[in-house]
Amino acid sequence: MITGVSAGAINATFLAAHQGPFQQAVDDLGRMWADLTVEQVFRVDARSLLTHVWRWGLGLVSGGRLVGPPLLGMVDTSPLRRTLETAFESARGAEIPGIARNIADGRLTGLAIITSSYTTGLTVAWVQGRNIADWERPFRMSRQCVMTADHVMASAALPLFFPAVTLDGAWYGDGGIRLVTPLSPAVHLGARRILAFSTRYGRRGDEAARPQVSAYPPPAQIAGQLLNAIFLDDHDRDAQNLVRLNLLLEDLPEDRRRGLRVIDLVFIRPSQDIGRLAAQYEPRLPGPLRHMLGGIGTRHAKSSDLLSLLMFHPDYLKRLMEIGEADFEARADDIAALLAGEQAP
């Protein structure tokens, strides 16, 4: 069972659709990220960026009276669509074929991709799988579907920066918005063991209290904190609640658990501040994009979490993967216990 949200939806779908052995799937996914450039995600030529920024600004100063078609995002993400369709071996709007084949072969139970509906305000988990029942909770629900690149594009549509995507006649964006229980899709799929990944670096002690800016916080610093609060804080909160619930359930006999079950969890987070790392690689971005980001203050923050969301550069991405592999190795015993079905710490 694989679930994913935002950029994680790309990883989840790639692994769910790959037809080779799992190790080969991981290697191919690594190669895709290692070769990725910002030009393969959104247009960074000066004309495209300036046109989008100009029209946004004109819409503001005109009080919304701008004549012409509405501007859907600050950047044009048509390159990302082509990149994903090539990676998933899927034509525009067509089914991603490998997912159904892996489900039919018994290699995959289910895939859930999380989106946020701008039309209704609901969090929607799009699910393709075998014998999976729909679920509905306050402000969130699931919908059965045949997965396409559009579902992944919607889940990864960073608010305001990336344009929303239409699915079944409604507009959808990044699934991290209002996803207060990020582990719940895996639980609804029936998981009893979860290996979860967050991109949030955990500052502690003196480091947590250390200032990230020396002057008045620029828009990029404020936006980064807002995005962390929206997308990442709930990962830690949900993981902590799951651990507490496990402790309570372990003290109850099976007949008194009211259908709840103990779920083993291993939660992996980066051991280095990837926002600070992104700031080191910022000079390698294309000039027009650097100019636009510099205008909102990315160069004045020691750790730019907003910049880390847009830093599609091979050198930076390879460094992230090196950190990820080292962090994974550091938790090797916990992961081995989880995969073996043993009680994880």
Side-chain angles (χ1 to χ4, degrees):
M1 307 166 188
I2 308 178
T3 73
V5 59
S6 197
I10 299 174
N11 295 339
T13 304
F14 189 98
L15 295 175
H18 199 284
Q19 293 292 285
F22 190 74
Q23 180 64 60
Q24 181 184 341
V26 173
D27 291 342
D28 290 345
L29 178 61
R31 278 189 287 270
M32 183 192 79
W33 279 106
D35 295 333
L36 194 66
T37 63
V38 68
E39 290 85 358
Q40 293 172 285
V41 180
F42 53 86
R43 290 184 58 185
V44 291
D45 58 283
R47 180 177 180 180
S48 177
L49 289 177
L50 289 176
T51 297
H52 280 69
V53 172
W54 170 257
R55 290 190 61 195
W56 269 91
L58 194 59
L60 288 173
V61 299
S62 68
R65 297 182 178 87
L66 177 65
V67 178
L71 192 61
L72 304 183
M74 290 191 68
V75 295
D76 178 356
T77 55
S78 55
L80 177 60
R81 179 179 295 278
R82 292 191 292 270
T83 298
L84 294 182
E85 288 172 352
T86 299
F88 300 152
E89 299 180 354
S90 171
R92 184 181 180 90
E95 173 186 3
I96 300 173
I99 297 172
R101 288 198 292 264
N102 282 333
I103 292 172
D105 292 341
R107 302 178 62 201
L108 179 70
T109 298
L111 168 68
I113 298 302
I114 320 303
T115 63
S116 297
S117 172
Y118 293 146
T119 306
T120 65
L122 295 176
T123 294
V124 178
W126 300 89
V127 178
Q128 184 174 354
R130 182 177 63 248
N131 301 324
I132 297 174
D134 285 325
W135 67 85
E136 185 170 353
R137 297 290 185 272
F139 304 111
R140 54 190 173 94
M141 61 180 294
S142 69
R143 295 184 64 177
Q144 303 280 338
C145 73
V146 174
M147 211 69 70
T148 69
D150 285 337
H151 295 90
V152 183
M153 287 284 294
S155 183
L158 188 65
L160 300 181
F161 279 90
F162 291 5
V165 178
T166 53
L167 299 172
D168 290 352
W171 290 99
Y172 289 86
D174 197 304
I177 302 173
R178 191 182 269 173
L179 184 59
V180 295
T181 54
L183 301 176
S184 64
V187 175
H188 285 299
L189 290 182
R192 292 181 178 275
R193 293 171 288 165
I194 298 177
L195 177 60
F197 299 88
S198 171
T199 57
R200 183 70 179 271
Y201 171 67
R203 297 186 181 93
R204 296 182 181 276
D206 293 340
E207 185 182 15
R210 192 177 304 150
Q212 298 299 308
V213 290
S214 56
Y216 188 85
Q221 180 73 11
I222 298 172
Q225 293 193 17
L226 284 173
L227 291 172
N228 282 340
I230 294 170
F231 295 133
L232 299 178
D233 287 0
D234 286 319
H235 287 221
D236 295 89
R237 196 156 34 240
D238 199 24
Q240 187 178 46
N241 288 338
L242 178 62
V243 171
R244 289 175 172 174
L245 184 59
N246 283 343
L247 293 173
L248 292 174
L249 291 175
E250 287 169 354
D251 291 335
L252 291 176
E254 290 281 353
D255 61 350
R256 297 188 60 191
R257 292 182 178 179
R258 299 181 182 272
L260 299 175
R261 61 186 184 274
V262 173
I263 299 174
D264 289 338
L265 171 69
V266 171
F267 189 75
I268 306 290
R269 68 167 70 254
S271 59
Q272 297 188 34
D273 186 340
I274 62 176
R276 184 178 292 270
L277 186 67
Q280 298 174 15
Y281 286 87
E282 185 267 347
R284 307 186 192 188
L285 286 174
L289 179 60
R290 287 187 62 207
H291 182 77
M292 184 182 77
L293 294 175
I296 59 175
T298 54
R299 301 191 188 105
H300 300 291
K302 296 178 182 178
S303 176
S304 180
D305 291 324
L306 174 62
L307 181 62
S308 72
L309 298 175
L310 302 171
M311 179 58 68
F312 299 102
H313 190 282
D315 294 342
Y316 171 73
L317 296 170
K318 290 173 185 175
R319 181 67 187 123
L320 283 188
M321 286 191 285
E322 290 173 357
I323 294 170
E325 289 177 4
D327 294 341
F328 201 83
E329 289 291 338
R331 299 290 301 279
D333 291 342
D334 294 343
I335 296 165
L338 183 77
L339 298 179
E342 302 169 1
Q343 182 70 34

